[in-house]
Amino acid sequence: MSTAILTGPPVPGSPLEGDLRSLGFEVRSAAGPGETAALLAAVPAGERVAVVDPRFVGHLHALRLALTDPRFPAAAAPGALTAQPEARPSLTRALTARVPGSGSAPDPGSAQVPGSAPVAAPTTASGAAPTTAPEAGGARAGGASAGGTPPLPDTLATALEADGVAVHRPELGSLVAAVPTGPQARKETRDAVAAVDDEAVRLRSAVKSRDGFFTTFCVSPYSRYLARWCARRGLTPNQVTTASLLTALVAAGCAATGTRGGFVAAGVLLLLSFVLDCTDGQLARYSLQYSTLGAWLDATFDRAKEYAYYAGLALGAARGGDDVWALALGAMVLQTCRHVVDFSFNEANHDATANTSPTAALSDRLDSVGWTVWVRRMIVLPIGERWAMIAVLTAVTSPRVVFYALLVGCAFAACYTTAGRVLRSLTRRAGRTDRAARALADLADGGPLAELAARATRRWARPLGGRTPYAVLGAALLLYAACAAPVGSGLVVAAAAAYALASGAAVARPLKGALDWLVPPVLRVAEYGTILVLAARADAPGALPAAFGLVAAVAYHHYDTVYRIRGGTGAPPVWLVRTLGGQEGRTLLVAVLAALLAAGGGERLALALTALAGAVALVGLAESIRFWVSSHAPAVHDEGEPA
């Protein structure tokens, strides 16, 4: 249980103690810094602790935001500070330095807390302490001003920041958090609290600040209330996420029946799954129930649901005599490569220096015109619009039409976003950091063969306007051979070997060129596209479903890599990348299998691809689960990037 320490005797009539208990804190009172330090030392080292000024007046949700968010080692609002176990040593040092006789000079006013010798703080005509400038979008927050007596929690927060601890200060918006210093100021602050509906603010803040049109206007207006309903019944975001996955899997099963009733039910259930998918994030924001496991589930289940649904549609079509496995695999390849473009561009540029361009400035000007924002968000076919389209078309048309629409829509969206990012990259003069170059190399997913090729080509593989041309040339040669060479020909194997050499040359030097963020997407197109083409040309009944499973397993590994990098922990361990062969090793292996087994109907190729898919899934998923449920894994939360 967490502990909240009041830095003085409770104020009569204040609801503060009850509010803190409702947030899960055990409340204790101290008479000054010395007793506060003693109470802090008595709290077990593995527990969260909060230090709160007893004069605090504000909304319960302001306290919740400041004191209970699990994502940050320390957080503060006026008159309130919290520290998780990793920040406790700094808090102890800061508090000990303010205890008289500790040998350290206390900050002016830090020893003046309720219960000690009073020091008059400057007040306004009404007796209120001057408030600070509005915080983060207009929060009415404040305490004693500079030159007066700042509340002890505020002083400690400043000391923690000086000690190198990142103290999170939540955006309070219209919520009130203040430490009034006189009866009149206290009354005015309470009136300000009463004037703002705490629950309405909490519901609004549960919704992403940036989302797609369909989600914003067709789902979030009611899903936020569903999130509140779940919170009041003790449901967790992980439980809602799991319910969303199960609903999508049932939808895929309905689609696999191949009947009109099954397709209608599948469409309805897919929409329900999406509503639950929105609800889990809103529930996490509403109740601040963020967790590492929840981050992993949320990051991976969306892809698992969508691709399982593709498989269900393909199975349903097959029951009706229509083989659309190639279309299903093509849709998955296109959608995954779109995501890699997004991830790669963002990783390359989010910490770049001088990161401006005329194209970006034009984009900002367009965003200032309200309707253009929604049009631009819709045409990239984010998850809300995409799932709505899939659900409606499933119910009223056929799986083939669904996949045609997906391929056309996703292809247009991919061209639009990629072209815009290429223009930005060519017109901006940005210096890419070493961290960004390392992230791009990790996203490239090079294995042992690429490492050898990189060492062998480092001297002569000079930049051709960057490293991307090497990847493009290798991918083009490989895909041409896969499409044009006779089935079972060794030419594809030779092209795959040349591709491994080219992919090594692409990452032989740091990826700091203007367009080098394209290297990972190009390599994904080469690997996934080769598997698709070779399986389709094998003309075996089970080759394409097996290839679908293989691409799904490999794509999971690549998504896992992305979310590890976004969490700041870097790529998966080297042993995992080498065990899985790297993208060039898997591509060469598939080419060899196709050359040896594609002849004679290709049944053996289907079995080989199935076995390879199972091995990749088993090893990759086992390591991913081990990492994401470990205590050191990062919490990665999507707060506004439509997928």
Side-chain angles (χ1 to χ4, degrees):
M1 186 175 186
S2 302
T3 299
I5 302 173
L6 299 181
T7 60
V11 175
S14 171
L16 180 59
E17 286 191 70
D19 287 347
L20 291 171
R21 290 192 177 96
S22 71
L23 296 176
F25 286 94
E26 179 183 348
V27 182
R28 301 175 183 176
S29 297
E35 190 171 342
T36 301
L39 291 175
L40 175 63
V43 177
E47 293 184 5
R48 173 195 291 271
V49 68
V51 180
V52 184
D53 192 299
R55 300 169 295 175
F56 176 90
V57 176
H59 287 100
L60 174 61
H61 193 50
L63 278 176
R64 181 182 291 107
L65 291 171
L67 302 182
T68 66
D69 196 323
R71 295 173 295 174
F72 308 103
L81 168 70
T82 186
Q84 298 221 65
E86 56 266 40
R88 287 274 302 274
S90 292
L91 178 59
T92 299
R93 288 193 296 272
L95 191 54
T96 301
R98 282 148 184 82
V99 176
S102 65
S104 300
D107 288 350
S110 63
Q112 302 299 334
V113 295
S116 61
V119 175
T123 60
T124 64
S126 64
T131 57
T132 60
E135 293 204 15
R140 281 171 283 180
S145 65
T149 306
L152 179 59
D154 297 0
T155 303
L156 293 175
T158 302
L160 260 63
E161 290 175 321
D163 198 27
V165 176
V167 179
H168 172 65
R169 300 180 187 274
E171 296 186 5
L172 299 180
S174 59
L175 297 175
V176 176
V179 182
T181 57
Q184 182 60 29
R186 191 170 188 82
K187 179 183 180 302
E188 292 176 354
T189 306
R190 285 177 172 172
D191 291 342
V193 171
V196 176
D197 187 343
D198 178 274
E199 181 62 19
V201 173
R202 188 181 179 189
L203 276 173
R204 286 197 304 270
S205 64
V207 178
K208 284 181 184 178
S209 58
R210 181 181 185 273
D211 221 328
F213 180 89
F214 179 78
T215 305
T216 300
F217 295 103
C218 300
V219 177
S220 291
Y222 58 87
S223 63
R224 69 185 73 181
Y225 295 100
L226 179 58
R228 181 172 66 180
W229 183 90
C230 293
R232 290 177 175 176
R233 282 151 184 81
L235 298 177
T236 67
N238 291 352
Q239 290 171 331
V240 178
T241 301
T242 303
S244 175
L245 174 66
L246 294 176
T247 303
L249 294 179
V250 173
C254 291
T257 63
T259 64
R260 177 52 52 195
F263 287 147
V264 172
V268 172
L269 288 172
L270 186 65
L271 287 177
L272 176 58
S273 175
F274 180 67
V275 171
L276 293 174
D277 181 57
C278 295
T279 301
D280 64 359
Q282 291 167 358
L283 174 58
R285 287 182 285 272
Y286 181 84
S287 57
L288 299 185
Q289 294 185 72
Y290 300 105
S291 69
T292 297
L293 179 60
W296 173 64
L297 294 176
D298 187 58
T300 57
F301 276 14
D302 280 352
R303 306 288 83 80
K305 289 181 288 189
E306 186 166 358
Y307 299 157
Y309 192 82
Y310 292 177
L313 285 174
L315 289 170
R319 285 180 176 271
D322 189 11
D323 186 355
V324 297
W325 275 107
L327 297 177
L329 180 51
M332 181 167 66
V333 168
L334 182 56
Q335 186 60 24
T336 304
C337 291
R338 276 187 62 200
H339 287 145
V340 177
V341 168
D342 295 340
F343 297 140
S344 188
F345 179 81
N346 291 335
E347 284 300 321
N349 293 288
H350 87 270
D351 58 355
T353 58
N355 199 10
T356 59
S357 75
T359 308
L362 175 61
S363 177
D364 292 339
R365 286 197 296 272
L366 288 174
D367 282 345
S368 66
V369 182
W371 64 269
T372 65
V373 174
W374 297 114
V375 171
R376 294 170 67 208
R377 291 185 188 179
M378 290 174 67
I379 62 177
V380 299
L381 209 62
I383 187 170
E385 280 76 356
R386 190 168 66 251
W387 282 27
M389 180 186 74
I390 293 171
V392 172
L393 290 179
T394 298
V396 301
T397 64
S398 67
R400 182 172 289 273
V401 172
V402 173
F403 287 124
Y404 281 153
L406 265 176
L407 289 168
V408 171
C410 289
F412 176 81
C415 291
Y416 170 79
T417 55
T418 304
R421 286 164 179 174
V422 168
L423 285 175
R424 288 191 183 197
S425 300
L426 292 175
T427 56
R428 71 169 30 128
R429 299 183 181 277
R432 187 159 298 151
T433 64
D434 291 337
R435 186 217 63 81
R438 180 68 259 170
L440 291 178
D442 292 336
L443 287 173
D445 190 32
L449 293 179
E451 292 175 5
L452 290 173
R455 285 196 290 268
T457 60
R458 187 168 289 121
R459 289 188 177 181
W460 58 265
R462 302 295 180 183
L464 302 175
R467 315 304 301 177
T468 303
Y470 291 104
V472 171
L473 289 173
L477 175 63
L478 174 62
L479 291 173
Y480 176 78
C483 293
V487 175
S489 170
L491 292 176
V492 180
V493 177
Y499 166 75
L501 182 65
S503 64
V507 296
R509 296 188 179 185
L511 299 176
K512 292 190 174 183
L515 296 178
D516 283 354
W517 57 270
L518 283 170
V519 169
V522 169
L523 299 182
R524 294 296 84 77
V525 170
E527 180 181 5
Y528 300 164
T530 299
I531 296 172
L532 167 60
V533 171
L534 293 179
R537 296 191 67 199
D539 198 25
L544 279 169
F548 187 96
L550 176 57
V551 172
V554 174
Y556 176 86
H557 167 62
H558 289 146
Y559 281 117
D560 186 55
T561 300
V562 164
Y563 283 102
R564 293 189 194 218
I565 293 173
R566 286 178 62 177
T569 61
V574 174
W575 73 262
L576 177 64
V577 177
R578 290 177 176 172
T579 300
L580 297 180
Q583 52 84 22
E584 80 293 341
R586 289 187 300 270
T587 303
L588 180 59
L589 177 58
V590 171
V592 171
L593 292 174
L596 296 175
L597 306 176
E603 290 83 0
R604 292 181 300 166
L605 177 61
L607 291 174
L609 292 180
T610 301
L612 181 58
V616 171
L618 179 63
V619 176
L621 188 60
E623 162 56 21
S624 177
I625 293 173
R626 183 209 62 78
F627 172 78
W628 286 102
V629 300
S630 65
S631 59
H632 63 273
V636 182
H637 296 278
D638 179 9
E639 293 298 330
E641 293 294 333

